[in-house]
Amino acid sequence: MTHRILLAALTAFGLSAAALAQSAPTPLQARYDTAIPDLESALGHDFGEEITPPEEAVDYLRTLAEAAPDRMQVFDYATSWEGRDLVYAVIGSAETMARLDGIRADLQALADPRGLSGAERDTLIGRLPVIVWLGYGVHGDEISSTDAGLRTAYHLLAATNDPVANTIRENALVIIDPVQNPDGRNRFINSFTQARGLQADGYRYAAEHDQPWPGGRHNHYLFDMNRDWFIMTQPETRGRTAAMLDWRPMVIVDAHEMGGDQSYFFPPVADPVNPVLTEEQLEGHDIIGQNHAMWFDRIGSDYFTREIFDAFYPGYGDTWPMMQGGVAMTYEQGSARGLVWTRRNGGDLTYADGVTNHFIASLSTAQAAAENRERFVRGFHDVRAAASTIAEGPAAILLSRETNRWGAERLARLIARQGIEISRIAGGTTACGTALPEGGFHIDLNQPAGQLARTLLQRDTPLPDDFLDAQEDRRTRGLDHELYDVTAWSLPVMFNVDSTECANRPNLPGDAVTADEPMPAEAAASARFGYVIPWTDAGQARLVAALAADGVPMRTAASEFTIQGETFPAGSVVIARASAPAHLDSLMRLHARTIGAVYAGLDTSWTEDGPNFGSSQFADIVAPRIAMAWGEGTDPNSAGGLRYVLERRYGLPVTVIRAATLARADLSGFDVILLPEQRGGGYAAEIGETGAASLSRFAQAGGTLIALGDATRFITDPEINLLPLRRERAADTPTGNGAGETALVPGSVIEDNGALQAALEPRNARPDTAPGALLNVTANADAFLSAGYSQGAAAMVTGSDIYTAVPLDEADTVLRFAGPDTLVASGHLWEENIAQTAYKPFLVSRRTGAGFVVAFTQDPTARGYQEGLDLALLNAVILAPARSWRLR
Ligand SMILES: [Zn+2]
């Protein structure tokens, strides 16, 4: 067995035995203790021979732990949506493992340097092993890392003659998370297995490499979990971040795969780097990267550094743990996307090659950490100590509960879930020049988790000036920008919660908020006439949705009204006891407490101002029957995010219909049809004009059709024309294609360099692509779909879709982008895009026959991280069907 691995490795890397003999043995030449089961004996295939399914990977770790219980323990940390176990293994010497509880206590003490004396600190640093966290396969079709993780665990337990393994065992505790996305990995393996034949096929277009929609990258709800770390929408992410806060890893790896023609990436990272990270953390990248270079040279593998993969967005599997004080890295191996991939140069990349590279990089990481144990343990302490005493920037953040009570409560829990200290301000105070009549929340940014707290909570994390200059230079040369992800993520902005940045630390005593504390509800006492639910935030809309599902008759107001001395905003919902189920009181209390919602009792129906409940200003709420386009033609991220938000955050079940089926499906049973963003041939290919006619009839008959993001392109296409919006080319761009219809065109003279530049300007250019900034939107108070947005909101804008302003008689612009001076709420947007986006539509609706056509020009539910826009979506999903003229 051992000998066979050795030979396989030799062959894979084309090394001669003579060449190897010239240097010390590598881990690929290790001898193994036969008391520890190898993969072949446990699962029937060797490392790299087959793509190990997620359940078998977990089984193998459990088998290893049974064989060496004194040196390895397996911990369950989450269950995927589809019911699969997520686990991590902790591996160390028997001596280290025997004091695991003490180590965990020491780690928590080291993570909060504020109360430590110098002597206590040095004692902790002296006795702690370096904690190394190796995470694999967060993207389910990036397959080789999981088997590398299994091989790393086996090697650390079973290698008998490897000095690298010995160093690691002596100085490190290694945590292996082998399958971060079991549902996605399972999906990939299914499509691969169904397509494979007599032999593995390296042809890149073979079906075994060509995954059907949605592919294995995402989890069950089609989230890219390498963007989810701070927003924590998915159970896999929540379990993993909680485990990291338990173990406080100092060196962290998130192992991926990239295109099969590429080699291997490890840090140093590309620019830009988030400014909260320190030079010392980046030096850690150099120490580990140089060790990898040594190993990759010895095994004959290519690599690259400092390109493509940056460290700016805090939601990656490397940046989030880094902002907790660690040194964290993304590794990328070229993917065989199966068992073998023929590269453009004709060479074959095998699955085993990928497993070997990730295995060597994993060991090299743990080795570099172990050899520099004190440096990494002390570095972790120092980052968290320095984060507690930062002098620049705001000192504290206050969150108000006043305009978005439910959103502020949810945001406070999300902040606490990241290990960031946050406290609840007692009601009615003024601090940092801000009045907080309903209390709110206080975050002192000078705290051990201050790096993460700062970048998540301050209004803006600026891009470095020299990076921006370089991007502007690239744009003038017609080159793409080099940002890997968005430039804005400020949580108060994304949650539409008013926040205040304090220059000094206010003295605000309060109770700590915990992640799992129940949401506060305000249930009214039973009242004679019935109840009113103020339409003020998304939690209130969720209460209405829950009651509608239970068959409680309700009516929503088109305008504000005053009753019993209190004014309720447009959208607010009234329930009359006389027509409600007998157990109305208990239903209201139960749902309000579960959700954390608010309602008031009404002893009378007499309004002092505004319409009476019997007025046509009040419309009957229906429990909306919701369908959405799904499958080929839709963008998995957008489709999954939309379905997740409606189902899991608001309890609204969604029927998903393959886009191509929409044209022939009977849609009359639905109140709402949603079109998420497109991919590939999009809706033009899948739905086409026949399907568009069917969608038009759906709206005419009283349905609400809602397009999100670039689905707006489809419904505004002149051939389809469900909304009179048009997409713009870049302002000031030359029109025409410059080429005549005939072979010969009129002669021209280019006078000078300026004329040359003008001749080279692209024709009909699109606006430059926005990498992602949060832009302010303002509400049209006359539109019922703007209920709850009198203060406006912010929307994430990516890409280059900008739509024309639409005349008042053609459609309602419900939310539009703010003017140029106040447009950017957070992040970076090119000057030309600011000028062209200002005042343009974000949310548009038009009554079409008995129903509505609605478009969000940007996707509000992408990544599920813009909770501040949820109410706008719920307005379209709940209030528009109430205002439909459908005959029932
Ligand atoms: Zn990846």
Side-chain angles (χ1 to χ4, degrees), residues 10 13-16 19-29 162-164 291-301 303 360 367:
L10 286 174
F13 291 96
L15 297 179
S16 70
L20 279 170
Q22 287 166 10
S23 51
T26 76
L28 299 175
Q29 295 151 295
D162 178 23
V164 174
N291 202 53
H292 294 348
M294 180 272 290
W295 282 117
F296 274 54
D297 288 350
R298 286 190 59 188
I299 66 173
S301 285
Y303 64 88
I360 289 295
Q367 178 194 25

PDB file of all heavy atoms in Angstrom, residues 10 13-16 19-29 162-164 291-301 303 360 367:
ATOM      1  N   LEU A  10       5.522   9.290  -7.564  1.00  0.00           N
ATOM      2  CA  LEU A  10       6.701   9.465  -8.406  1.00  0.00           C
ATOM      3  C   LEU A  10       6.290   9.632  -9.865  1.00  0.00           C
ATOM      4  O   LEU A  10       6.757  10.523 -10.565  1.00  0.00           O
ATOM      5  CB  LEU A  10       7.619   8.249  -8.289  1.00  0.00           C
ATOM      6  CG  LEU A  10       8.393   8.153  -6.970  1.00  0.00           C
ATOM      7  CD1 LEU A  10       9.141   6.827  -6.921  1.00  0.00           C
ATOM      8  CD2 LEU A  10       9.344   9.329  -6.820  1.00  0.00           C
ATOM      9  N   PHE A  13       4.501  13.008 -10.744  1.00  0.00           N
ATOM     10  CA  PHE A  13       5.321  14.205 -10.833  1.00  0.00           C
ATOM     11  C   PHE A  13       6.565  14.019 -11.691  1.00  0.00           C
ATOM     12  O   PHE A  13       7.397  14.903 -11.788  1.00  0.00           O
ATOM     13  CB  PHE A  13       5.690  14.685  -9.424  1.00  0.00           C
ATOM     14  CG  PHE A  13       4.481  15.193  -8.722  1.00  0.00           C
ATOM     15  CD1 PHE A  13       3.757  14.381  -7.870  1.00  0.00           C
ATOM     16  CD2 PHE A  13       4.018  16.469  -8.988  1.00  0.00           C
ATOM     17  CE1 PHE A  13       2.620  14.842  -7.260  1.00  0.00           C
ATOM     18  CE2 PHE A  13       2.878  16.928  -8.383  1.00  0.00           C
ATOM     19  CZ  PHE A  13       2.167  16.119  -7.517  1.00  0.00           C
ATOM     20  N   GLY A  14       6.663  12.874 -12.311  1.00  0.00           N
ATOM     21  CA  GLY A  14       7.739  12.690 -13.263  1.00  0.00           C
ATOM     22  C   GLY A  14       9.118  12.782 -12.638  1.00  0.00           C
ATOM     23  O   GLY A  14      10.075  13.194 -13.278  1.00  0.00           O
ATOM     24  N   LEU A  15       9.222  12.458 -11.360  1.00  0.00           N
ATOM     25  CA  LEU A  15      10.520  12.558 -10.703  1.00  0.00           C
ATOM     26  C   LEU A  15      11.226  11.200 -10.745  1.00  0.00           C
ATOM     27  O   LEU A  15      10.615  10.167 -10.541  1.00  0.00           O
ATOM     28  CB  LEU A  15      10.337  12.958  -9.237  1.00  0.00           C
ATOM     29  CG  LEU A  15       9.709  14.327  -9.012  1.00  0.00           C
ATOM     30  CD1 LEU A  15       9.574  14.579  -7.518  1.00  0.00           C
ATOM     31  CD2 LEU A  15      10.528  15.412  -9.661  1.00  0.00           C
ATOM     32  N   SER A  16      12.479  11.234 -10.953  1.00  0.00           N
ATOM     33  CA  SER A  16      13.221   9.977 -10.922  1.00  0.00           C
ATOM     34  C   SER A  16      13.638   9.684  -9.494  1.00  0.00           C
ATOM     35  O   SER A  16      13.789  10.586  -8.676  1.00  0.00           O
ATOM     36  CB  SER A  16      14.466  10.093 -11.797  1.00  0.00           C
ATOM     37  OG  SER A  16      15.385  10.958 -11.175  1.00  0.00           O
ATOM     38  N   ALA A  19      16.733  11.541  -8.536  1.00  0.00           N
ATOM     39  CA  ALA A  19      16.593  12.949  -8.179  1.00  0.00           C
ATOM     40  C   ALA A  19      16.121  13.083  -6.737  1.00  0.00           C
ATOM     41  O   ALA A  19      16.602  13.928  -5.979  1.00  0.00           O
ATOM     42  CB  ALA A  19      15.601  13.624  -9.121  1.00  0.00           C
ATOM     43  N   LEU A  20      15.172  12.209  -6.360  1.00  0.00           N
ATOM     44  CA  LEU A  20      14.648  12.284  -5.001  1.00  0.00           C
ATOM     45  C   LEU A  20      15.716  11.937  -3.981  1.00  0.00           C
ATOM     46  O   LEU A  20      15.767  12.510  -2.897  1.00  0.00           O
ATOM     47  CB  LEU A  20      13.466  11.322  -4.842  1.00  0.00           C
ATOM     48  CG  LEU A  20      12.153  11.869  -5.375  1.00  0.00           C
ATOM     49  CD1 LEU A  20      11.122  10.763  -5.383  1.00  0.00           C
ATOM     50  CD2 LEU A  20      11.681  13.047  -4.534  1.00  0.00           C
ATOM     51  N   ALA A  21      16.551  11.002  -4.331  1.00  0.00           N
ATOM     52  CA  ALA A  21      17.573  10.553  -3.394  1.00  0.00           C
ATOM     53  C   ALA A  21      18.538  11.685  -3.041  1.00  0.00           C
ATOM     54  O   ALA A  21      19.188  11.636  -2.008  1.00  0.00           O
ATOM     55  CB  ALA A  21      18.337   9.388  -3.993  1.00  0.00           C
ATOM     56  N   GLN A  22      18.582  12.689  -3.891  1.00  0.00           N
ATOM     57  CA  GLN A  22      19.512  13.799  -3.630  1.00  0.00           C
ATOM     58  C   GLN A  22      19.040  14.698  -2.493  1.00  0.00           C
ATOM     59  O   GLN A  22      19.792  15.531  -2.007  1.00  0.00           O
ATOM     60  CB  GLN A  22      19.686  14.637  -4.907  1.00  0.00           C
ATOM     61  CG  GLN A  22      20.514  13.916  -5.954  1.00  0.00           C
ATOM     62  CD  GLN A  22      20.408  14.568  -7.314  1.00  0.00           C
ATOM     63  OE1 GLN A  22      19.873  15.646  -7.436  1.00  0.00           O
ATOM     64  NE2 GLN A  22      20.932  13.894  -8.319  1.00  0.00           N
ATOM     65  N   SER A  23      17.771  14.596  -2.119  1.00  0.00           N
ATOM     66  CA  SER A  23      17.293  15.448  -1.034  1.00  0.00           C
ATOM     67  C   SER A  23      16.610  14.580   0.009  1.00  0.00           C
ATOM     68  O   SER A  23      16.365  13.401  -0.211  1.00  0.00           O
ATOM     69  CB  SER A  23      16.332  16.488  -1.591  1.00  0.00           C
ATOM     70  OG  SER A  23      15.341  15.844  -2.364  1.00  0.00           O
ATOM     71  N   ALA A  24      16.284  15.191   1.154  1.00  0.00           N
ATOM     72  CA  ALA A  24      15.592  14.446   2.216  1.00  0.00           C
ATOM     73  C   ALA A  24      14.245  13.960   1.689  1.00  0.00           C
ATOM     74  O   ALA A  24      13.695  14.544   0.769  1.00  0.00           O
ATOM     75  CB  ALA A  24      15.406  15.364   3.408  1.00  0.00           C
ATOM     76  N   PRO A  25      13.702  12.897   2.278  1.00  0.00           N
ATOM     77  CA  PRO A  25      12.405  12.380   1.806  1.00  0.00           C
ATOM     78  C   PRO A  25      11.299  13.427   1.947  1.00  0.00           C
ATOM     79  O   PRO A  25      11.360  14.282   2.821  1.00  0.00           O
ATOM     80  CB  PRO A  25      12.130  11.199   2.733  1.00  0.00           C
ATOM     81  CG  PRO A  25      13.362  10.951   3.507  1.00  0.00           C
ATOM     82  CD  PRO A  25      14.230  12.164   3.414  1.00  0.00           C
ATOM     83  N   THR A  26      10.325  13.367   1.071  1.00  0.00           N
ATOM     84  CA  THR A  26       9.158  14.248   1.189  1.00  0.00           C
ATOM     85  C   THR A  26       8.036  13.459   1.857  1.00  0.00           C
ATOM     86  O   THR A  26       8.115  12.221   1.953  1.00  0.00           O
ATOM     87  CB  THR A  26       8.662  14.713  -0.193  1.00  0.00           C
ATOM     88  OG1 THR A  26       7.965  13.627  -0.808  1.00  0.00           O
ATOM     89  CG2 THR A  26       9.805  15.167  -1.078  1.00  0.00           C
ATOM     90  N   PRO A  27       6.975  14.137   2.292  1.00  0.00           N
ATOM     91  CA  PRO A  27       5.843  13.415   2.884  1.00  0.00           C
ATOM     92  C   PRO A  27       5.232  12.401   1.916  1.00  0.00           C
ATOM     93  O   PRO A  27       4.571  11.451   2.355  1.00  0.00           O
ATOM     94  CB  PRO A  27       4.842  14.541   3.194  1.00  0.00           C
ATOM     95  CG  PRO A  27       5.691  15.758   3.370  1.00  0.00           C
ATOM     96  CD  PRO A  27       6.819  15.600   2.399  1.00  0.00           C
ATOM     97  N   LEU A  28       5.473  12.574   0.626  1.00  0.00           N
ATOM     98  CA  LEU A  28       4.928  11.615  -0.342  1.00  0.00           C
ATOM     99  C   LEU A  28       5.634  10.264  -0.231  1.00  0.00           C
ATOM    100  O   LEU A  28       5.175   9.271  -0.790  1.00  0.00           O
ATOM    101  CB  LEU A  28       5.062  12.167  -1.766  1.00  0.00           C
ATOM    102  CG  LEU A  28       4.322  13.483  -2.030  1.00  0.00           C
ATOM    103  CD1 LEU A  28       4.622  13.992  -3.435  1.00  0.00           C
ATOM    104  CD2 LEU A  28       2.817  13.315  -1.841  1.00  0.00           C
ATOM    105  N   GLN A  29       6.750  10.238   0.479  1.00  0.00           N
ATOM    106  CA  GLN A  29       7.505   8.977   0.605  1.00  0.00           C
ATOM    107  C   GLN A  29       7.377   8.380   1.993  1.00  0.00           C
ATOM    108  O   GLN A  29       8.173   7.519   2.371  1.00  0.00           O
ATOM    109  CB  GLN A  29       8.980   9.250   0.301  1.00  0.00           C
ATOM    110  CG  GLN A  29       9.189   9.678  -1.136  1.00  0.00           C
ATOM    111  CD  GLN A  29      10.383  10.583  -1.279  1.00  0.00           C
ATOM    112  OE1 GLN A  29      10.420  11.696  -0.762  1.00  0.00           O
ATOM    113  NE2 GLN A  29      11.384  10.105  -1.993  1.00  0.00           N
ATOM    114  N   ASP A 162       8.142  10.658   9.086  1.00  0.00           N
ATOM    115  CA  ASP A 162       8.129  11.951   8.405  1.00  0.00           C
ATOM    116  C   ASP A 162       8.423  13.066   9.407  1.00  0.00           C
ATOM    117  O   ASP A 162       7.615  13.327  10.305  1.00  0.00           O
ATOM    118  CB  ASP A 162       6.763  12.169   7.750  1.00  0.00           C
ATOM    119  CG  ASP A 162       6.700  13.528   7.059  1.00  0.00           C
ATOM    120  OD1 ASP A 162       7.773  14.070   6.716  1.00  0.00           O
ATOM    121  OD2 ASP A 162       5.578  14.046   6.883  1.00  0.00           O
ATOM    122  N   PRO A 163       9.584  13.717   9.276  1.00  0.00           N
ATOM    123  CA  PRO A 163       9.913  14.791  10.225  1.00  0.00           C
ATOM    124  C   PRO A 163       8.902  15.940  10.183  1.00  0.00           C
ATOM    125  O   PRO A 163       8.681  16.611  11.189  1.00  0.00           O
ATOM    126  CB  PRO A 163      11.301  15.259   9.769  1.00  0.00           C
ATOM    127  CG  PRO A 163      11.549  14.652   8.421  1.00  0.00           C
ATOM    128  CD  PRO A 163      10.643  13.474   8.284  1.00  0.00           C
ATOM    129  N   VAL A 164       8.275  16.167   9.010  1.00  0.00           N
ATOM    130  CA  VAL A 164       7.268  17.228   8.911  1.00  0.00           C
ATOM    131  C   VAL A 164       6.097  16.911   9.836  1.00  0.00           C
ATOM    132  O   VAL A 164       5.644  17.753  10.631  1.00  0.00           O
ATOM    133  CB  VAL A 164       6.780  17.376   7.447  1.00  0.00           C
ATOM    134  CG1 VAL A 164       5.624  18.366   7.358  1.00  0.00           C
ATOM    135  CG2 VAL A 164       7.931  17.799   6.540  1.00  0.00           C
ATOM    136  N   ASN A 291       7.276  28.716   2.282  1.00  0.00           N
ATOM    137  CA  ASN A 291       7.408  27.281   2.579  1.00  0.00           C
ATOM    138  C   ASN A 291       6.759  26.441   1.474  1.00  0.00           C
ATOM    139  O   ASN A 291       7.305  25.416   1.045  1.00  0.00           O
ATOM    140  CB  ASN A 291       6.775  26.971   3.937  1.00  0.00           C
ATOM    141  CG  ASN A 291       7.315  25.692   4.552  1.00  0.00           C
ATOM    142  OD1 ASN A 291       8.536  25.528   4.680  1.00  0.00           O
ATOM    143  ND2 ASN A 291       6.420  24.774   4.904  1.00  0.00           N
ATOM    144  N   HIS A 292       5.579  26.916   0.996  1.00  0.00           N
ATOM    145  CA  HIS A 292       4.922  26.204  -0.111  1.00  0.00           C
ATOM    146  C   HIS A 292       5.819  26.189  -1.350  1.00  0.00           C
ATOM    147  O   HIS A 292       5.917  25.181  -2.051  1.00  0.00           O
ATOM    148  CB  HIS A 292       3.609  26.885  -0.514  1.00  0.00           C
ATOM    149  CG  HIS A 292       2.548  26.844   0.533  1.00  0.00           C
ATOM    150  ND1 HIS A 292       2.612  26.058   1.649  1.00  0.00           N
ATOM    151  CD2 HIS A 292       1.358  27.507   0.613  1.00  0.00           C
ATOM    152  CE1 HIS A 292       1.519  26.244   2.378  1.00  0.00           C
ATOM    153  NE2 HIS A 292       0.752  27.111   1.771  1.00  0.00           N
ATOM    154  N   ALA A 293       6.436  27.349  -1.638  1.00  0.00           N
ATOM    155  CA  ALA A 293       7.281  27.431  -2.833  1.00  0.00           C
ATOM    156  C   ALA A 293       8.371  26.361  -2.760  1.00  0.00           C
ATOM    157  O   ALA A 293       8.660  25.686  -3.761  1.00  0.00           O
ATOM    158  CB  ALA A 293       7.883  28.824  -2.950  1.00  0.00           C
ATOM    159  N   MET A 294       8.972  26.191  -1.569  1.00  0.00           N
ATOM    160  CA  MET A 294      10.016  25.176  -1.398  1.00  0.00           C
ATOM    161  C   MET A 294       9.475  23.776  -1.717  1.00  0.00           C
ATOM    162  O   MET A 294      10.080  23.022  -2.487  1.00  0.00           O
ATOM    163  CB  MET A 294      10.541  25.255   0.043  1.00  0.00           C
ATOM    164  CG  MET A 294      11.622  24.271   0.406  1.00  0.00           C
ATOM    165  SD  MET A 294      10.974  22.682   1.008  1.00  0.00           S
ATOM    166  CE  MET A 294      10.297  23.177   2.617  1.00  0.00           C
ATOM    167  N   TRP A 295       8.293  23.465  -1.172  1.00  0.00           N
ATOM    168  CA  TRP A 295       7.725  22.130  -1.412  1.00  0.00           C
ATOM    169  C   TRP A 295       7.295  21.940  -2.866  1.00  0.00           C
ATOM    170  O   TRP A 295       7.491  20.880  -3.445  1.00  0.00           O
ATOM    171  CB  TRP A 295       6.531  21.863  -0.487  1.00  0.00           C
ATOM    172  CG  TRP A 295       6.944  21.507   0.912  1.00  0.00           C
ATOM    173  CD1 TRP A 295       6.690  22.191   2.062  1.00  0.00           C
ATOM    174  CD2 TRP A 295       7.702  20.349   1.309  1.00  0.00           C
ATOM    175  NE1 TRP A 295       7.238  21.555   3.144  1.00  0.00           N
ATOM    176  CE2 TRP A 295       7.862  20.423   2.713  1.00  0.00           C
ATOM    177  CE3 TRP A 295       8.265  19.266   0.628  1.00  0.00           C
ATOM    178  CZ2 TRP A 295       8.552  19.446   3.446  1.00  0.00           C
ATOM    179  CZ3 TRP A 295       8.943  18.295   1.347  1.00  0.00           C
ATOM    180  CH2 TRP A 295       9.088  18.392   2.743  1.00  0.00           C
ATOM    181  N   PHE A 296       6.663  22.985  -3.429  1.00  0.00           N
ATOM    182  CA  PHE A 296       6.198  22.844  -4.813  1.00  0.00           C
ATOM    183  C   PHE A 296       7.380  22.688  -5.761  1.00  0.00           C
ATOM    184  O   PHE A 296       7.302  21.946  -6.739  1.00  0.00           O
ATOM    185  CB  PHE A 296       5.290  24.026  -5.213  1.00  0.00           C
ATOM    186  CG  PHE A 296       3.841  23.806  -4.835  1.00  0.00           C
ATOM    187  CD1 PHE A 296       3.486  23.495  -3.526  1.00  0.00           C
ATOM    188  CD2 PHE A 296       2.825  23.870  -5.779  1.00  0.00           C
ATOM    189  CE1 PHE A 296       2.163  23.260  -3.169  1.00  0.00           C
ATOM    190  CE2 PHE A 296       1.492  23.638  -5.437  1.00  0.00           C
ATOM    191  CZ  PHE A 296       1.168  23.338  -4.131  1.00  0.00           C
ATOM    192  N   ASP A 297       8.483  23.365  -5.466  1.00  0.00           N
ATOM    193  CA  ASP A 297       9.688  23.145  -6.270  1.00  0.00           C
ATOM    194  C   ASP A 297      10.135  21.688  -6.166  1.00  0.00           C
ATOM    195  O   ASP A 297      10.517  21.056  -7.161  1.00  0.00           O
ATOM    196  CB  ASP A 297      10.828  24.054  -5.786  1.00  0.00           C
ATOM    197  CG  ASP A 297      10.592  25.516  -6.168  1.00  0.00           C
ATOM    198  OD1 ASP A 297       9.658  25.781  -6.961  1.00  0.00           O
ATOM    199  OD2 ASP A 297      11.325  26.380  -5.650  1.00  0.00           O
ATOM    200  N   ARG A 298      10.082  21.147  -4.950  1.00  0.00           N
ATOM    201  CA  ARG A 298      10.580  19.774  -4.763  1.00  0.00           C
ATOM    202  C   ARG A 298       9.687  18.735  -5.423  1.00  0.00           C
ATOM    203  O   ARG A 298      10.197  17.731  -5.936  1.00  0.00           O
ATOM    204  CB  ARG A 298      10.733  19.473  -3.264  1.00  0.00           C
ATOM    205  CG  ARG A 298      11.946  20.199  -2.682  1.00  0.00           C
ATOM    206  CD  ARG A 298      12.259  19.731  -1.300  1.00  0.00           C
ATOM    207  NE  ARG A 298      12.537  18.292  -1.251  1.00  0.00           N
ATOM    208  CZ  ARG A 298      12.686  17.633  -0.118  1.00  0.00           C
ATOM    209  NH1 ARG A 298      12.579  18.269   1.041  1.00  0.00           N
ATOM    210  NH2 ARG A 298      12.930  16.345  -0.136  1.00  0.00           N
ATOM    211  N   ILE A 299       8.386  18.950  -5.409  1.00  0.00           N
ATOM    212  CA  ILE A 299       7.523  17.946  -6.042  1.00  0.00           C
ATOM    213  C   ILE A 299       7.252  18.286  -7.512  1.00  0.00           C
ATOM    214  O   ILE A 299       6.550  17.548  -8.206  1.00  0.00           O
ATOM    215  CB  ILE A 299       6.190  17.747  -5.282  1.00  0.00           C
ATOM    216  CG1 ILE A 299       5.318  19.019  -5.343  1.00  0.00           C
ATOM    217  CG2 ILE A 299       6.453  17.327  -3.841  1.00  0.00           C
ATOM    218  CD1 ILE A 299       3.932  18.827  -4.751  1.00  0.00           C
ATOM    219  N   GLY A 300       7.763  19.410  -7.970  1.00  0.00           N
ATOM    220  CA  GLY A 300       7.654  19.733  -9.392  1.00  0.00           C
ATOM    221  C   GLY A 300       6.293  20.247  -9.799  1.00  0.00           C
ATOM    222  O   GLY A 300       5.829  19.985 -10.912  1.00  0.00           O
ATOM    223  N   SER A 301       5.632  21.014  -8.925  1.00  0.00           N
ATOM    224  CA  SER A 301       4.333  21.591  -9.273  1.00  0.00           C
ATOM    225  C   SER A 301       4.466  23.097  -9.481  1.00  0.00           C
ATOM    226  O   SER A 301       5.173  23.771  -8.728  1.00  0.00           O
ATOM    227  CB  SER A 301       3.319  21.326  -8.153  1.00  0.00           C
ATOM    228  OG  SER A 301       2.902  19.986  -8.185  1.00  0.00           O
ATOM    229  N   TYR A 303       2.995  27.049  -9.599  1.00  0.00           N
ATOM    230  CA  TYR A 303       2.090  27.849  -8.764  1.00  0.00           C
ATOM    231  C   TYR A 303       2.194  29.295  -9.185  1.00  0.00           C
ATOM    232  O   TYR A 303       3.094  29.683  -9.939  1.00  0.00           O
ATOM    233  CB  TYR A 303       2.448  27.701  -7.275  1.00  0.00           C
ATOM    234  CG  TYR A 303       3.816  28.249  -6.928  1.00  0.00           C
ATOM    235  CD1 TYR A 303       3.982  29.591  -6.579  1.00  0.00           C
ATOM    236  CD2 TYR A 303       4.946  27.439  -6.982  1.00  0.00           C
ATOM    237  CE1 TYR A 303       5.240  30.097  -6.285  1.00  0.00           C
ATOM    238  CE2 TYR A 303       6.208  27.944  -6.696  1.00  0.00           C
ATOM    239  CZ  TYR A 303       6.346  29.279  -6.341  1.00  0.00           C
ATOM    240  OH  TYR A 303       7.592  29.776  -6.065  1.00  0.00           O
ATOM    241  N   ILE A 360       0.008  18.481  -0.066  1.00  0.00           N
ATOM    242  CA  ILE A 360       1.322  19.057   0.242  1.00  0.00           C
ATOM    243  C   ILE A 360       1.162  20.476   0.804  1.00  0.00           C
ATOM    244  O   ILE A 360       1.809  20.855   1.782  1.00  0.00           O
ATOM    245  CB  ILE A 360       2.222  19.051  -1.015  1.00  0.00           C
ATOM    246  CG1 ILE A 360       2.636  17.607  -1.351  1.00  0.00           C
ATOM    247  CG2 ILE A 360       3.449  19.935  -0.831  1.00  0.00           C
ATOM    248  CD1 ILE A 360       3.518  16.939  -0.302  1.00  0.00           C
ATOM    249  N   GLN A 367       3.142  22.787   8.823  1.00  0.00           N
ATOM    250  CA  GLN A 367       4.576  22.785   9.150  1.00  0.00           C
ATOM    251  C   GLN A 367       5.082  24.203   9.430  1.00  0.00           C
ATOM    252  O   GLN A 367       5.755  24.459  10.432  1.00  0.00           O
ATOM    253  CB  GLN A 367       5.373  22.190   7.983  1.00  0.00           C
ATOM    254  CG  GLN A 367       6.879  22.203   8.217  1.00  0.00           C
ATOM    255  CD  GLN A 367       7.685  21.940   6.951  1.00  0.00           C
ATOM    256  OE1 GLN A 367       7.200  22.195   5.835  1.00  0.00           O
ATOM    257  NE2 GLN A 367       8.883  21.423   7.120  1.00  0.00           N
TER     258      GLN A 367
END
